[in-house]
Amino acid sequence: MKDIFDECRFGDLDLKSRIVRTGTWETETEEGGFLSPAIFDRYERIASSGVGLIVSEIFAMDYKDRFSEYSSNLDYRGFIKDYRMITDICHNNDVPILGQLAFFYYDDGDNQKAEANDLTLEGIRKLQAEVIVAAKKFSFAGFDGIQINMGNNFYLARFMNPYFNQRTDDYGGNTENRVRISSEIIKVIKKTMDMHVSCRINPWDVRKGGMTADESIAIARELEKAGADSIQLTARTISQIYDKGVKHPFLVYVDDLIDAVDIPVVLGGSLREMAKINDVLNNSKVEFVSMSKPFVAQADFLADWKRDGEGTAICYSCNNCYSKKTSTCFKHF
């Protein structure tokens, strides 16, 4: 029988549980981008609660990006010092941490919102270099790896999606070509840094001519071939679907994905009860489950679950923290 609090191996990382905390926005910074005491306190509560792996809040590459105002900052002068303290908090609790990089727009130097079809080869190289530099900054700050968000509707998700990418060169057309921009990034990171590389992807979308489940699995295979160490599933509407009592929509897909790759796969979605999570773990091939908003509502709720052997997160998926882009819960703070 699998249990949430099993100690387990996640690629090259040792975890104390099967729960992955995934961050979203960061809005509690002080003037100049420095981290406030509330952020350090939050990380201490999460890391000491029994979580297996922490994925940071979103880091934006460019201050002009659509979500940079609500995201963490890679470029302020206190970044290394502040985040070395954050990663130390995690490591002191025997919890690895990945820095999450996500960007919606990309400025290629000529166009602040250059899309996949707009990028020249020079623009592609510029983008790849900026992601690799971000990974190096995470390494300097003590992160165990990087999660590159290639899901939801972020830039690399669109680049890989045949609905958006109609390029006719080596970066468009078939699956391998559309993933090539990301595969080349992963290869450089794995060759030059001792970093776990996690990729966050969509299982499908609802666009005609867009992402299908089969295409998503093919993308995951390409990412694994390039050297990715883990895959995490994500989608924009998962909480609204699942909270209405519908069977978790990813479960019709995730076992096929797990069979198709030899790296860990993290199931995302609005799982809020310990009993339901354990049911998923024991009635599917799922080994790891990610949670986001429950940690916003109560950073240390896993400690209660571990003590009591049961529990339900106080988060009820109102989505205010996500839609209003804050790192605090409107209901409980």
Side-chain angles (χ1 to χ4, degrees):
M1 294 287 288
K2 290 182 284 187
D3 183 79
I4 283 177
F5 294 107
D6 291 337
E7 293 184 0
C8 47
R9 189 79 173 164
F10 186 80
D12 50 351
L13 303 173
D14 290 316
L15 308 190
K16 296 194 297 183
S17 78
R18 299 183 185 275
I19 299 297
V20 177
R21 177 271 191 171
T22 301
T24 51
W25 314 116
E26 183 54 84
T27 57
E28 293 188 300
T29 55
E30 298 178 340
E31 186 176 353
F34 294 91
L35 303 190
S36 70
I39 297 173
F40 295 102
D41 177 67
R42 185 197 319 142
Y43 270 93
E44 181 64 52
R45 292 172 64 198
I46 294 171
S48 63
S49 69
V51 71
L53 171 68
I54 291 176
V55 178
S56 78
E57 286 75 24
I58 289 170
F59 281 86
M61 284 203 308
D62 189 335
Y63 73 93
K64 299 184 295 296
D65 193 59
R66 177 177 177 182
F67 300 120
S68 63
E69 181 182 352
Y70 321 105
S71 301
S72 299
N73 187 347
L74 276 162
D75 296 323
Y76 72 100
R77 59 188 176 88
F79 167 76
I80 297 295
K81 180 180 178 181
D82 276 0
Y83 277 95
R84 176 63 72 170
M85 293 173 66
I86 293 291
T87 58
D88 282 349
I89 287 171
C90 298
H91 296 153
N92 289 340
N93 285 281
D94 298 320
V95 176
I97 178 171
L98 309 181
Q100 181 187 174
L101 185 71
F103 50 101
F104 192 87
Y105 298 133
Y106 183 67
D107 183 352
D108 66 355
D110 296 317
N111 183 349
Q112 289 186 4
K113 299 180 181 179
E115 289 291 344
N117 298 328
D118 303 325
L119 286 185
T120 63
L121 182 59
E122 182 181 25
I124 286 174
R125 294 291 177 259
K126 179 175 181 288
L127 183 154
Q128 291 173 320
E130 290 181 18
V131 176
I132 292 163
V133 167
K136 179 59 72 174
K137 289 180 179 179
F138 286 142
S139 178
F140 288 155
F143 287 89
D144 299 282
I146 181 172
Q147 181 175 95
I148 306 174
N149 195 327
M150 305 172 184
N152 303 113
N153 209 29
F154 284 108
Y155 192 87
L156 292 175
R158 301 197 303 278
F159 204 104
M160 297 189 300
N161 192 321
Y163 178 88
F164 294 101
N165 185 338
Q166 286 87 44
R167 298 179 68 99
T168 57
D169 61 1
D170 288 344
Y171 294 89
N174 63 33
T175 305
E176 180 182 3
N177 283 359
R178 283 181 278 106
V179 180
R180 190 182 305 277
I181 188 172
S182 300
S183 296
E184 291 174 344
I185 290 169
I186 294 167
K187 288 176 182 178
V188 172
I189 293 173
K190 296 303 295 183
K191 184 175 181 178
T192 60
M193 303 171 224
D194 183 19
M195 298 279 280
H196 182 108
V197 177
S198 178
C199 298
R200 203 168 171 193
I201 66 170
N202 298 324
W204 55 72
D205 63 24
V206 295
R207 300 180 180 96
K208 184 177 180 180
M211 188 67 62
T212 65
D214 288 343
E215 178 67 14
S216 176
I217 289 173
I219 285 172
R221 285 177 173 150
E222 290 296 324
L223 295 170
E224 178 188 22
K225 189 190 306 182
D229 297 292
S230 62
I231 298 290
Q232 181 172 335
L233 300 181
T234 186
R236 296 177 64 194
T237 58
I238 183 68
S239 59
Q240 292 91 330
I241 295 171
Y242 187 58
D243 285 350
K244 292 179 179 178
V246 179
K247 181 180 179 181
H248 196 303
F250 287 1
L251 291 180
V252 303
Y253 158 91
V254 68
D255 280 354
D256 290 339
L257 174 60
I258 291 170
D259 283 340
V261 297
D262 292 321
I263 55 177
V265 173
V266 181
L267 176 67
S270 292
L271 290 164
R272 300 285 184 260
E273 298 177 36
M274 183 173 176
K276 284 187 177 180
I277 295 173
N278 276 333
D279 181 65
V280 168
L281 291 172
N282 286 289
N283 290 284
S284 72
K285 297 177 182 178
V286 173
E287 301 277 346
F288 306 96
V289 173
S290 69
M291 306 177 79
S292 178
K293 292 185 281 289
F295 286 100
V296 179
Q298 182 186 351
D300 55 2
F301 71 94
L302 284 179
D304 296 338
W305 289 18
K306 189 171 185 178
R307 182 194 64 228
D308 299 337
E310 61 180 1
T312 301
I314 60 177
C315 171
Y316 59 93
S317 298
C318 68
N319 281 315
N320 274 329
C321 63
Y322 185 84
S323 63
K324 296 184 179 179
K325 299 176 180 57
T326 74
S327 47
T328 56
C329 178
F330 282 75
K331 178 66 175 177
H332 302 289
F333 286 80

